[in-house]
Amino acid sequence: DADVTQTPRNRITKTGKRIMLECSQTKGHDRMYWYRQDPGLGLRLIYYSFDVKDINKGEISDGYSVSRQAQAKFSLSLESAIPNQTALYFCATSDSTGLVGETQYFGPGTRLLVL
Amino acid sequence: LAKTTQPISMDSYEGQEVNITCSHNNIATNDYITWYQQFPSQGPRFIIQGYKTKVTNEVASLFIPADRKSSTLSLPRVSLSDTAVYYCLVGPRGGSNYQLIWGAGTKLIIKP
Protein backbone atom coordinates (compact mmCIF):
# COMPACT_ATOMS: atom_id res chain seq x y z
CA ASP A 1 0.00 0.00 0.00
CA ALA A 2 1.59 3.26 -1.14
CA ASP A 3 0.20 5.00 1.94
CA VAL A 4 2.73 3.14 4.07
CA THR A 5 6.35 3.53 3.03
CA GLN A 6 9.49 1.91 4.36
CA THR A 7 13.12 2.91 3.92
CA PRO A 8 15.42 1.41 2.99
CA ARG A 9 13.89 -1.38 0.93
CA ASN A 10 17.06 -3.44 1.11
CA ARG A 11 19.97 -3.24 3.50
CA ILE A 12 23.15 -5.20 4.00
CA THR A 13 25.07 -4.60 7.19
CA LYS A 14 27.72 -6.23 9.33
CA THR A 15 27.49 -7.83 12.73
CA GLY A 16 27.67 -5.25 15.49
CA LYS A 17 26.52 -2.30 13.43
CA ARG A 18 23.62 -0.10 14.46
CA ILE A 19 20.94 0.34 11.86
CA MET A 20 17.59 2.03 11.67
CA LEU A 21 14.59 1.11 9.57
CA GLU A 22 12.05 3.83 9.00
CA CYS A 23 8.35 3.77 8.37
CA SER A 24 6.05 6.61 7.36
CA GLN A 25 2.33 6.61 6.75
CA THR A 26 -0.14 9.04 5.26
CA LYS A 27 -3.26 7.15 6.28
CA GLY A 28 -3.74 9.19 9.43
CA HIS A 29 -3.83 6.06 11.57
CA ASP A 30 -2.88 6.21 15.22
CA ARG A 31 -1.55 2.67 15.55
CA MET A 32 1.70 1.44 14.05
CA TYR A 33 3.48 -1.91 14.17
CA TRP A 34 6.77 -3.54 13.32
CA TYR A 35 6.84 -7.18 12.27
CA ARG A 36 9.52 -9.58 11.30
CA GLN A 37 9.08 -12.40 8.80
CA ASP A 38 11.51 -15.26 8.31
CA PRO A 39 11.43 -17.50 5.23
CA GLY A 40 8.47 -19.85 5.25
CA LEU A 41 7.15 -18.46 8.51
CA GLY A 42 4.36 -16.12 9.51
CA LEU A 43 4.70 -12.63 10.89
CA ARG A 44 5.95 -12.04 14.41
CA LEU A 45 5.26 -8.80 16.20
CA ILE A 46 8.31 -6.87 17.42
CA TYR A 47 6.84 -3.64 18.78
CA TYR A 48 3.63 -1.73 18.49
CA SER A 49 2.51 1.80 19.27
CA PHE A 50 -1.04 2.96 19.83
CA ASP A 51 -0.11 6.64 19.81
CA VAL A 52 2.96 8.84 20.05
CA LYS A 53 3.32 8.33 23.78
CA ASP A 54 2.49 4.64 23.83
CA ILE A 55 5.09 1.98 22.98
CA ASN A 56 4.62 -1.71 23.67
CA LYS A 57 6.81 -4.75 23.31
CA GLY A 58 5.63 -7.51 21.07
CA GLU A 59 6.47 -11.19 20.91
CA ILE A 60 10.14 -10.77 19.94
CA SER A 61 11.38 -7.36 21.13
CA ASP A 62 14.81 -8.45 22.40
CA GLY A 63 17.59 -6.85 20.38
CA TYR A 64 15.29 -4.18 18.95
CA SER A 65 14.14 -0.72 19.96
CA VAL A 66 11.65 1.71 18.46
CA SER A 67 10.87 5.39 18.33
CA ARG A 68 7.54 6.99 17.49
CA GLN A 69 8.69 10.42 16.36
CA ALA A 70 5.25 11.54 15.25
CA GLN A 71 1.90 10.01 14.54
CA ALA A 72 3.07 9.30 11.00
CA LYS A 73 6.56 7.97 11.75
CA PHE A 74 7.70 4.83 13.52
CA SER A 75 11.33 3.72 13.43
CA LEU A 76 12.87 0.37 14.31
CA SER A 77 16.48 0.18 15.45
CA LEU A 78 18.88 -2.69 15.80
CA GLU A 79 21.48 -1.41 18.26
CA SER A 80 24.00 -4.12 17.47
CA ALA A 81 22.93 -6.25 14.54
CA ILE A 82 23.49 -10.00 14.59
CA PRO A 83 23.12 -12.53 11.75
CA ASN A 84 19.93 -14.08 13.12
CA GLN A 85 18.24 -10.72 12.65
CA THR A 86 18.45 -11.31 8.93
CA ALA A 87 14.81 -11.21 7.85
CA LEU A 88 12.09 -9.30 6.05
CA TYR A 89 10.71 -6.47 8.17
CA PHE A 90 7.27 -5.01 7.73
CA CYS A 91 5.70 -1.89 9.12
CA ALA A 92 1.93 -1.73 9.42
CA THR A 93 -0.72 0.75 10.53
CA SER A 94 -4.28 0.46 11.76
CA ASP A 95 -7.13 2.64 12.87
CA SER A 96 -8.47 2.35 16.41
CA THR A 97 -11.91 3.78 15.92
CA GLY A 98 -13.30 0.52 17.24
CA LEU A 99 -16.15 0.51 14.78
CA VAL A 100 -14.83 -2.56 13.01
CA GLY A 101 -12.32 -5.28 13.76
CA GLU A 102 -8.65 -4.60 13.43
CA THR A 103 -7.54 -4.11 9.83
CA GLN A 104 -3.88 -3.48 9.18
CA TYR A 105 -2.22 -1.86 6.21
CA PHE A 106 1.30 -2.99 5.45
CA GLY A 107 4.30 -1.33 3.91
CA PRO A 108 6.34 -2.99 1.14
CA GLY A 109 8.92 -4.40 3.53
CA THR A 110 12.64 -3.99 4.18
CA ARG A 111 14.88 -6.91 3.40
CA LEU A 112 17.77 -6.94 5.88
CA LEU A 113 20.89 -9.06 5.61
CA VAL A 114 23.33 -9.12 8.53
CA LEU A 115 26.72 -10.57 7.65
CA LEU B 1 -5.25 -15.15 23.44
CA ALA B 2 -6.71 -17.04 20.50
CA LYS B 3 -4.29 -19.31 18.66
CA THR B 4 -5.01 -20.15 15.05
CA THR B 5 -4.24 -23.27 13.06
CA GLN B 6 -4.30 -23.49 9.27
CA PRO B 7 -3.17 -26.08 6.73
CA ILE B 8 0.42 -25.45 5.71
CA SER B 9 -0.30 -25.73 2.00
CA MET B 10 -3.00 -26.41 -0.54
CA ASP B 11 -3.19 -26.61 -4.28
CA SER B 12 -5.99 -26.33 -6.77
CA TYR B 13 -6.66 -25.57 -10.40
CA GLU B 14 -7.79 -22.49 -12.25
CA GLY B 15 -11.54 -22.01 -12.23
CA GLN B 16 -12.10 -24.05 -9.08
CA GLU B 17 -13.48 -22.83 -5.77
CA VAL B 18 -10.94 -22.99 -2.95
CA ASN B 19 -11.81 -23.20 0.72
CA ILE B 20 -9.19 -22.60 3.42
CA THR B 21 -10.16 -23.33 7.01
CA CYS B 22 -8.69 -21.72 10.11
CA SER B 23 -9.19 -23.17 13.57
CA HIS B 24 -9.36 -20.79 16.56
CA ASN B 25 -10.74 -22.78 19.46
CA ASN B 26 -10.03 -20.14 22.11
CA ILE B 27 -11.54 -17.17 20.31
CA ALA B 28 -12.84 -14.51 22.67
CA THR B 29 -16.25 -12.87 22.59
CA ASN B 30 -14.91 -9.58 21.21
CA ASP B 31 -12.53 -11.10 18.67
CA TYR B 32 -12.94 -10.56 14.95
CA ILE B 33 -11.58 -12.87 12.26
CA THR B 34 -9.58 -11.34 9.46
CA TRP B 35 -7.89 -12.91 6.45
CA TYR B 36 -4.90 -11.50 4.62
CA GLN B 37 -3.19 -12.42 1.37
CA GLN B 38 0.55 -12.13 0.84
CA PHE B 39 2.49 -12.36 -2.39
CA PRO B 40 6.26 -12.99 -2.34
CA SER B 41 8.29 -9.98 -1.20
CA GLN B 42 5.17 -7.93 -0.49
CA GLY B 43 3.34 -6.99 2.66
CA PRO B 44 0.11 -8.80 3.54
CA ARG B 45 -3.06 -7.33 2.10
CA PHE B 46 -6.49 -7.36 3.72
CA ILE B 47 -9.01 -9.69 2.05
CA ILE B 48 -12.03 -10.01 4.30
CA GLN B 49 -13.18 -9.72 7.89
CA GLY B 50 -16.09 -11.06 9.90
CA TYR B 51 -17.54 -11.73 13.32
CA LYS B 52 -20.19 -14.37 12.71
CA THR B 53 -22.23 -16.11 10.00
CA LYS B 54 -21.27 -15.15 6.46
CA VAL B 55 -19.52 -12.17 4.92
CA THR B 56 -19.01 -11.68 1.20
CA ASN B 57 -17.13 -9.08 -0.78
CA GLU B 58 -15.93 -8.76 -4.35
CA VAL B 59 -13.05 -11.19 -3.91
CA ALA B 60 -14.01 -13.75 -1.27
CA SER B 61 -16.53 -15.09 1.21
CA LEU B 62 -15.96 -15.85 4.87
CA PHE B 63 -18.02 -18.48 6.65
CA ILE B 64 -18.09 -18.53 10.45
CA PRO B 65 -20.15 -21.16 12.30
CA ALA B 66 -22.22 -20.33 15.35
CA ASP B 67 -19.55 -21.48 17.83
CA ARG B 68 -16.92 -19.30 16.04
CA LYS B 69 -14.20 -21.84 16.73
CA SER B 70 -13.28 -21.98 13.07
CA SER B 71 -13.69 -19.96 9.91
CA THR B 72 -13.45 -20.76 6.21
CA LEU B 73 -12.17 -18.44 3.53
CA SER B 74 -13.75 -19.23 0.19
CA LEU B 75 -12.17 -18.04 -3.06
CA PRO B 76 -14.48 -18.52 -6.04
CA ARG B 77 -13.11 -19.46 -9.45
CA VAL B 78 -9.44 -19.02 -8.63
CA SER B 79 -6.84 -17.97 -11.16
CA LEU B 80 -3.06 -18.31 -11.27
CA SER B 81 -2.77 -14.87 -9.68
CA ASP B 82 -4.40 -16.18 -6.52
CA THR B 83 -1.24 -18.15 -5.78
CA ALA B 84 -0.13 -16.65 -2.47
CA VAL B 85 0.07 -17.24 1.26
CA TYR B 86 -3.18 -16.68 3.15
CA TYR B 87 -3.17 -15.73 6.82
CA CYS B 88 -5.94 -16.00 9.37
CA LEU B 89 -5.84 -13.34 12.07
CA VAL B 90 -7.91 -13.26 15.24
CA GLY B 91 -7.95 -10.10 17.29
CA PRO B 92 -10.18 -7.81 19.31
CA ARG B 93 -11.87 -4.67 18.17
CA GLY B 94 -10.19 -1.59 19.57
CA GLY B 95 -8.94 -1.83 23.13
CA SER B 96 -5.38 -1.94 24.40
CA ASN B 97 -2.82 -4.32 25.85
CA TYR B 98 -3.25 -7.11 23.40
CA GLN B 99 -1.13 -8.93 20.87
CA LEU B 100 -2.29 -9.90 17.46
CA ILE B 101 -2.03 -13.61 16.83
CA TRP B 102 -1.19 -14.62 13.26
CA GLY B 103 -1.62 -18.11 11.94
CA ALA B 104 1.36 -19.70 10.23
CA GLY B 105 -0.34 -19.12 6.90
CA THR B 106 -1.52 -21.41 4.13
CA LYS B 107 0.50 -21.48 0.94
CA LEU B 108 -2.00 -21.79 -1.89
CA ILE B 109 -0.72 -22.88 -5.29
CA ILE B 110 -3.02 -22.61 -8.28
CA LYS B 111 -2.18 -24.77 -11.25
CA PRO B 112 -3.21 -24.19 -14.87
Side-chain angles (χ1 to χ4, degrees), chain A residues 16-48:
Chain A
K17 295 291 187 181
R18 182 182 187 277
I19 66 166
M20 179 182 290
L21 309 182
E22 299 186 359
C23 176
S24 295
Q25 53 114 347
T26 59
K27 299 191 73 67
H29 290 167
D30 52 350
R31 297 184 173 186
M32 298 187 73
Y33 310 80
W34 275 105
Y35 289 93
R36 165 180 175 158
Q37 186 173 37
D38 295 279
L41 300 180
L43 281 76
R44 291 186 291 169
L45 184 63
I46 305 173
Y47 271 96
Y48 60 104

Coordinates of all heavy atoms in Angstrom, one line a residue, chain A residues 16-48:
Chain A
G16 N 27.2 -6.3 14.6 CA 27.7 -5.3 15.5 C 27.3 -3.8 15.1 O 27.4 -2.9 15.9
K17 N 26.9 -3.6 13.9 CA 26.5 -2.3 13.4 C 25.1 -1.9 13.9 O 24.3 -2.8 14.1 CB 26.6 -2.2 11.9 CG 27.9 -2.4 11.3 CD 28.8 -1.2 11.6 CE 30.1 -1.3 10.9 NZ 31.1 -0.2 11.2
R18 N 24.9 -0.6 14.1 CA 23.6 -0.1 14.5 C 22.9 0.3 13.2 O 23.5 1.0 12.4 CB 23.7 1.1 15.4 CG 22.4 1.7 15.8 CD 22.6 2.9 16.7 NE 21.3 3.3 17.3 CZ 20.5 4.1 16.7 NH1 20.7 4.6 15.5 NH2 19.3 4.5 17.3
I19 N 21.7 -0.1 13.0 CA 20.9 0.3 11.9 C 19.5 0.8 12.3 O 19.0 0.4 13.3 CB 20.9 -0.8 10.8 CG1 20.0 -1.9 11.3 CG2 22.2 -1.2 10.4 CD1 19.6 -2.9 10.2
M20 N 18.9 1.6 11.4 CA 17.6 2.0 11.7 C 16.7 1.8 10.4 O 17.2 2.1 9.3 CB 17.6 3.5 12.0 CG 16.2 4.1 12.3 SD 16.1 5.8 12.7 CE 16.9 5.8 14.3
L21 N 15.6 1.3 10.6 CA 14.6 1.1 9.6 C 13.5 2.1 9.9 O 13.0 2.2 11.0 CB 14.0 -0.3 9.5 CG 15.0 -1.5 9.5 CD1 14.3 -2.8 9.4 CD2 16.1 -1.3 8.4
E22 N 13.0 2.8 8.8 CA 12.1 3.8 9.0 C 10.7 3.5 8.3 O 10.7 2.9 7.3 CB 12.6 5.2 8.5 CG 13.9 5.6 9.3 CD 14.3 7.0 8.9 OE1 13.7 7.6 8.0 OE2 15.3 7.4 9.5
C23 N 9.7 4.0 8.9 CA 8.4 3.8 8.4 C 7.6 5.1 8.5 O 7.6 5.7 9.5 CB 7.6 2.7 9.2 SG 5.9 2.4 8.6
S24 N 6.9 5.4 7.4 CA 6.1 6.6 7.4 C 4.7 6.2 6.8 O 4.6 5.4 5.9 CB 6.7 7.7 6.5 OG 7.9 8.2 7.1
Q25 N 3.7 6.9 7.3 CA 2.3 6.6 6.8 C 1.5 7.9 6.6 O 1.7 8.9 7.3 CB 1.6 5.7 7.7 CG 1.5 6.1 9.1 CD 0.2 6.4 9.6 OE1 -0.8 6.6 8.9 NE2 0.0 6.6 11.0
T26 N 0.7 7.9 5.6 CA -0.1 9.0 5.3 C -1.6 8.7 5.4 O -2.5 9.4 5.0 CB 0.1 9.5 3.8 OG1 -0.2 8.5 2.9 CG2 1.5 10.0 3.6
K27 N -1.9 7.6 6.1 CA -3.3 7.1 6.3 C -3.9 7.8 7.5 O -5.1 7.7 7.7 CB -3.3 5.6 6.5 CG -2.8 4.9 5.3 CD -3.0 3.4 5.3 CE -4.5 3.1 5.0 NZ -4.9 3.3 3.6
G28 N -3.2 8.5 8.3 CA -3.7 9.2 9.4 C -4.1 8.2 10.6 O -4.8 8.6 11.5
H29 N -3.5 7.0 10.5 CA -3.8 6.1 11.6 C -3.0 6.3 12.8 O -1.9 6.8 12.8 CB -3.5 4.7 11.1 CG -4.5 4.2 10.0 ND1 -4.2 3.1 9.3 CD2 -5.7 4.6 9.6 CE1 -5.3 2.8 8.5 NE2 -6.1 3.8 8.7
D30 N -3.6 6.0 14.0 CA -2.9 6.2 15.2 C -2.0 5.0 15.6 O -1.0 5.2 16.3 CB -3.9 6.5 16.3 CG -5.0 5.5 16.5 OD1 -5.1 4.7 15.6 OD2 -5.7 5.6 17.4
R31 N -2.3 3.8 15.1 CA -1.5 2.7 15.5 C -0.5 2.3 14.5 O -0.9 2.2 13.3 CB -2.5 1.5 15.8 CG -3.5 1.8 17.0 CD -4.3 0.6 17.3 NE -5.1 0.9 18.5 CZ -5.9 0.0 19.1 NH1 -6.0 -1.2 18.6 NH2 -6.6 0.3 20.2
M32 N 0.7 1.9 15.0 CA 1.7 1.4 14.0 C 2.4 0.2 14.6 O 2.5 0.1 15.9 CB 2.7 2.6 13.7 CG 2.0 3.8 13.0 SD 3.2 5.0 12.5 CE 4.0 4.2 11.1
Y33 N 2.9 -0.6 13.8 CA 3.5 -1.9 14.2 C 4.8 -2.2 13.4 O 4.9 -1.8 12.2 CB 2.5 -3.0 13.9 CG 1.1 -2.8 14.4 CD1 0.2 -2.0 13.7 CD2 0.7 -3.4 15.6 CE1 -1.1 -1.8 14.1 CE2 -0.6 -3.2 16.0 CZ -1.5 -2.4 15.3 OH -2.8 -2.2 15.8
W34 N 5.6 -3.0 14.0 CA 6.8 -3.5 13.3 C 6.7 -5.1 13.5 O 6.6 -5.6 14.6 CB 8.1 -3.0 13.9 CG 8.5 -1.7 13.3 CD1 8.5 -0.5 13.9 CD2 9.1 -1.6 12.0 NE1 9.0 0.4 13.0 CE2 9.4 -0.2 11.8 CE3 9.4 -2.4 10.9 CZ2 10.0 0.4 10.7 CZ3 10.0 -1.9 9.8 CH2 10.2 -0.5 9.7
Y35 N 6.8 -5.7 12.3 CA 6.8 -7.2 12.3 C 8.1 -7.7 11.6 O 8.7 -7.0 10.8 CB 5.7 -7.7 11.4 CG 4.3 -7.6 12.0 CD1 3.5 -6.4 11.7 CD2 3.8 -8.6 12.8 CE1 2.3 -6.3 12.2 CE2 2.5 -8.4 13.3 CZ 1.8 -7.3 13.0 OH 0.5 -7.2 13.6
R36 N 8.4 -8.9 11.9 CA 9.5 -9.6 11.3 C 9.0 -10.9 10.7 O 8.1 -11.5 11.2 CB 10.6 -9.9 12.4 CG 11.6 -10.9 11.9 CD 12.6 -11.2 13.0 NE 13.4 -12.3 12.6 CZ 14.6 -12.5 13.1 NH1 15.1 -11.8 14.0 NH2 15.4 -13.5 12.6
Q37 N 9.5 -11.2 9.5 CA 9.1 -12.4 8.8 C 10.3 -13.1 8.3 O 11.2 -12.6 7.6 CB 8.2 -12.1 7.6 CG 7.6 -13.4 7.0 CD 6.6 -13.1 5.9 OE1 6.7 -12.1 5.2 NE2 5.5 -13.9 5.9
D38 N 10.4 -14.4 8.7 CA 11.5 -15.3 8.3 C 11.0 -16.2 7.2 O 9.8 -16.5 7.2 CB 12.1 -16.0 9.5 CG 12.7 -15.1 10.5 OD1 13.9 -14.7 10.3 OD2 12.1 -14.7 11.5
P39 N 11.9 -16.7 6.4 CA 11.4 -17.5 5.2 C 10.5 -18.6 5.6 O 10.9 -19.4 6.5 CB 12.8 -18.0 4.6 CG 13.7 -16.9 5.0 CD 13.3 -16.5 6.4
G40 N 9.4 -18.7 5.0 CA 8.5 -19.9 5.2 C 7.7 -19.7 6.5 O 6.9 -20.6 6.9
L41 N 7.9 -18.6 7.2 CA 7.1 -18.5 8.5 C 6.2 -17.3 8.4 O 6.3 -16.5 7.5 CB 8.1 -18.2 9.6 CG 9.2 -19.4 9.9 CD1 10.1 -19.0 11.1 CD2 8.4 -20.7 10.2
G42 N 5.3 -17.2 9.4 CA 4.4 -16.1 9.5 C 5.0 -14.9 10.1 O 6.2 -14.8 10.3
L43 N 4.2 -13.9 10.3 CA 4.7 -12.6 10.9 C 4.8 -12.7 12.4 O 3.9 -13.2 13.1 CB 3.8 -11.5 10.5 CG 4.0 -10.9 9.1 CD1 3.3 -11.9 8.1 CD2 3.4 -9.5 9.0
R44 N 5.8 -12.1 13.0 CA 6.0 -12.0 14.4 C 6.1 -10.6 14.8 O 6.9 -9.8 14.2 CB 7.2 -12.8 14.9 CG 7.0 -14.3 14.7 CD 8.2 -15.1 15.3 NE 9.4 -14.9 14.6 CZ 10.6 -15.3 15.0 NH1 10.7 -15.9 16.2 NH2 11.7 -15.1 14.2
L45 N 5.3 -10.2 15.8 CA 5.3 -8.8 16.2 C 6.5 -8.4 17.0 O 6.8 -9.1 18.0 CB 4.0 -8.6 17.0 CG 3.6 -7.2 17.4 CD1 3.4 -6.3 16.2 CD2 2.4 -7.2 18.3
I46 N 7.1 -7.3 16.7 CA 8.3 -6.9 17.4 C 7.9 -5.8 18.4 O 8.2 -5.9 19.6 CB 9.4 -6.3 16.5 CG1 9.7 -7.3 15.4 CG2 10.6 -5.9 17.2 CD1 10.7 -6.8 14.3
Y47 N 7.3 -4.7 17.9 CA 6.8 -3.6 18.8 C 5.6 -3.1 18.2 O 5.4 -3.2 17.0 CB 7.9 -2.5 18.8 CG 8.9 -2.6 19.9 CD1 10.1 -3.2 19.7 CD2 8.6 -2.1 21.2 CE1 11.1 -3.3 20.7 CE2 9.6 -2.2 22.2 CZ 10.8 -2.8 22.0 OH 11.7 -2.8 23.0
Y48 N 4.8 -2.4 19.0 CA 3.6 -1.7 18.5 C 3.4 -0.5 19.3 O 3.8 -0.4 20.5 CB 2.4 -2.6 18.4 CG 1.9 -3.2 19.8 CD1 0.8 -2.6 20.4 CD2 2.5 -4.3 20.3 CE1 0.3 -3.2 21.6 CE2 2.1 -4.8 21.5 CZ 0.9 -4.3 22.1 OH 0.5 -4.8 23.3

